[in-house]
Amino acid sequence: MPHINLFVKSKKAEIERSLNSAKIYLIVGVLLIFIAPFILTQPLFLSLIMEKSGQLGDTIGGITSPLSNVLGAVLVYYALKAQLHANELIQNQIDTQQHKELLMDESNDIQKLYGNLKDAIDHFTYSSLRPAEFGKGSYLSGSEAIYQLIDDFYLHYHGTEEEMLGNPKITELISIIDLCSAIFSRLDISHVPDKDTLCLLTVHQFTYRIFPRMRKDYPDNLEEYYCNACGRNHGLPRRLVLSIKKIKAKIEHLENVN
């Protein structure tokens, strides 16, 4: 945080200037107080003073007292000024510490979301719409299961979109996609120190685990696929497709920025 370091340096410099000024005024004031009696007791000043004043001590005291009062006031002013800058510096340090703690809490929250995303992918299981080809009773897990699910429902599912949205595996995949999207949204407005790392990890989970080989195997129009078997278009649910496109656009933007 360069601006915070500059603020701290500026306040420390102001405190040092105030203290240095106070030292200078103190030295000058003390010298004047001590020199004034010596000057006033010289023959030239003494004769003038004695003509108009009956008491030499009262005269000297009356002259040096205002100097002492002014010196005290000046020293109090610089002391208060230095204290004010010191208070601002302390408050800034408190605010900075609170800001760091808030960023740490926010980072922990996003890390938990990422951990939930990774666990959801790791524990995702799926067999196939075509058990004869896949093997009855066999299950895939993780990214392989997600890829098989997308491949099956994009290419081989002949039901309606409403029926597809009723499939628990599709809704589970939608929840995973939504979680991934939520992490990107949080990172978009976040200033956590590990933002780039969390963003990179989330991109990895989406590109290579949630939607593997997306650039190679699938077109942009995921909700429409012409099927020769049924003679009509079908594909993935629109809600799922919109979430996928949104994340793909975010990843492409990040790649262009970097």
Side-chain angles (χ1 to χ4, degrees):
M1 300 180 180
H3 64 285
I4 294 177
N5 293 332
L6 290 175
F7 176 84
V8 171
K9 290 180 180 178
S10 173
K11 288 301 174 185
K12 285 184 177 180
E14 290 178 2
I15 293 173
E16 290 178 0
R17 284 196 295 269
S18 296
L19 294 177
N20 290 334
S21 298
K23 289 178 183 178
I24 293 172
Y25 280 109
L26 177 62
I27 293 171
V28 172
V30 170
L31 289 176
L32 288 175
I33 292 173
F34 278 100
I35 292 174
F38 174 76
I39 295 175
L40 295 175
T41 54
Q42 297 303 307
L44 176 61
F45 291 99
L46 189 61
S47 60
L48 294 174
I49 292 172
M50 294 306 293
E51 289 178 0
K52 298 182 179 181
S53 177
Q55 298 294 328
L56 179 61
D58 291 341
T59 302
I60 295 174
I63 294 173
T64 58
S65 180
L67 290 175
S68 300
N69 292 336
V70 171
L71 175 63
V74 170
L75 292 178
V76 169
Y77 166 76
Y78 279 102
L80 291 175
K81 187 177 180 181
Q83 184 62 46
L84 179 62
H85 291 317
N87 290 342
E88 289 180 5
L89 183 61
I90 293 172
Q91 185 60 49
N92 178 261
Q93 291 173 338
I94 293 174
D95 292 342
T96 301
Q97 183 61 35
Q98 290 177 341
H99 181 66
K100 288 181 178 179
E101 290 174 357
L102 288 174
L103 286 179
M104 185 60 67
D105 290 341
E106 184 180 2
S107 175
N108 289 336
D109 288 343
I110 299 176
Q111 287 180 33
K112 288 178 182 178
L113 286 176
Y114 174 77
N116 290 335
L117 173 65
K118 186 175 182 302
D119 287 343
I121 296 171
D122 290 340
H123 294 95
F124 187 87
T125 59
Y126 176 70
S127 56
S128 176
L129 290 173
R130 300 160 293 158
E133 298 179 23
F134 184 74
K136 188 176 181 180
S138 298
Y139 282 88
L140 294 172
S141 62
S143 58
E144 292 182 352
I146 293 175
Y147 182 78
Q148 186 65 47
L149 174 72
I150 293 174
D151 186 66
D152 277 354
F153 278 82
Y154 180 64
L155 298 174
H156 305 289
Y157 186 76
H158 300 283
T160 65
E161 181 169 322
E162 289 74 17
E163 291 172 340
M164 194 183 304
L165 287 172
N167 186 289
K169 284 301 174 181
I170 287 292
T171 55
E172 185 179 352
L173 177 60
I174 290 174
S175 71
I176 292 175
I177 294 290
D178 287 346
L179 179 56
C180 183
S181 182
I183 295 174
F184 278 123
S185 296
R186 287 286 299 272
L187 289 172
D188 238 357
I189 58 175
S190 175
H191 299 285
V192 293
D194 54 349
K195 177 177 179 176
D196 291 341
T197 301
L198 289 169
C199 194
L200 180 64
L201 290 172
T202 308
V203 168
H204 170 79
Q205 292 295 331
F206 177 80
T207 304
Y208 299 105
R209 302 198 67 200
I210 296 177
F211 201 51
R213 305 195 292 271
M214 64 178 183
R215 289 187 179 90
K216 178 182 176 183
D217 291 357
Y218 294 102
D220 289 332
N221 198 10
L222 292 170
E223 66 269 37
E224 291 185 8
Y225 169 76
Y226 183 78
C227 177
N228 292 319
C230 65
R232 61 186 179 89
N233 288 328
H234 57 77
L236 298 177
R238 182 169 178 78
R239 181 187 170 190
L240 178 60
V241 172
L242 291 177
S243 296
I244 290 172
K245 287 183 176 180
K246 181 179 177 181
I247 297 175
K248 285 175 66 177
K250 176 60 180 176
I251 292 175
E252 289 172 2
H253 173 73
L254 290 172
E255 290 175 346
N256 292 333
V257 170
N258 296 330

